[in-house]
Amino acid sequence: MEEKGKGGSERWSAAIGNLSEMTSNLDSLQKLLVKKAVFVDDDTFAKASLTSEQARTIKVLEQRVETLERELDNAISAAAHARTEKRQAEAAQKAAELRAQEVTRELENTTRVFELHMEELRAKQLEISKRDKEIKLLEAIIQTLGGKGSHSSDE
């Protein structure tokens, strides 16, 4: 508690010292202004005030112009970047479309080859089926002839 009281007391003393110094500085400034002050009539003062206000307005407007110029530069850069991205996207889309066409052609060619192989397989199947029937017919003939021959040798 004592430390807090002591620290607070030091701060108050410092603050009072600062206020005394500021009072002294203000007094000196006031004396300086009274000695160096230039007195002008109301018309001259009004013109000077207007000029000063216009100078402040010009400064604010110049800052606004600089800000707008930076924003414009940023917008131009962003637009250029967007155009570049758009061109890249269009090129990628065109490449994808060409690849899709190529894959479609490959698929169509593969389908034609598959159809030709299927026709060939069907023709072979028909040939095999026809030969199978011929073999069965020949087996039947052989059995029939073989059966007659065994009957003759039995007699």
Side-chain angles (χ1 to χ4, degrees), residues 44-113:
T44 304
F45 180 76
K47 287 178 183 177
S49 294
L50 178 63
T51 302
S52 175
E53 182 62 30
Q54 288 174 342
R56 281 190 295 258
T57 302
I58 288 171
K59 181 139 181 95
V60 167
L61 291 174
E62 285 175 344
Q63 290 172 345
R64 182 65 180 144
V65 166
E66 289 172 3
T67 301
L68 290 173
E69 285 174 343
R70 283 192 302 272
E71 289 177 7
L72 178 62
D73 289 343
N74 291 339
I76 289 170
S77 294
H81 184 69
R83 282 191 298 274
T84 300
E85 286 182 348
K86 180 183 175 193
R87 282 192 295 273
Q88 290 172 345
E90 287 172 346
Q93 180 180 359
K94 185 168 183 153
E97 288 172 355
L98 291 173
R99 179 66 182 136
Q101 290 173 355
E102 182 182 324
V103 168
T104 300
R105 278 192 300 274
E106 283 180 29
L107 185 59
E108 288 170 351
N109 290 339
T110 302
T111 301
R112 285 188 200 113
V113 168

Side-chain angles (χ1 to χ4, degrees), residues 4-52:
K4 286 185 182 179
K6 189 176 181 183
S9 167
E10 287 176 8
R11 280 191 241 142
W12 276 111
S13 295
I16 290 171
N18 286 339
L19 286 175
S20 297
E21 191 177 329
M22 285 173 36
T23 302
S24 172
N25 289 340
L26 284 174
D27 287 339
S28 297
L29 183 61
Q30 184 179 11
K31 287 177 189 174
L32 183 65
L33 286 175
V34 167
K35 286 181 188 176
K36 304 253 180 177
V38 176
F39 294 98
V40 292
D41 63 3
D42 287 342
D43 189 40
T44 304
F45 180 76
K47 287 178 183 177
S49 294
L50 178 63
T51 302
S52 175

